[in-house]
Amino acid sequence: MNLSTMEQYWVWLSSVEGIGPKRFYQLISIYEDPRAVRTLLNR
């Protein structure tokens, strides 16, 4: 299965421990895409 880069970020964010559905949607509503969330967490 080949995933696009953006799909890989979606999979990554949904698999982070402690991020359930509610927090997932809160983060997405604030940062708009999982790539922005990852950039923030890697600082």
Side-chain angles (χ1 to χ4, degrees), residues 2-21:
N2 293 330
L3 298 175
S4 70
T5 301
M6 188 57 69
E7 290 170 326
Q8 290 175 15
Y9 282 108
W10 284 103
V11 170
W12 166 80
L13 182 57
S14 66
S15 67
V16 173
E17 187 174 333
I19 297 185

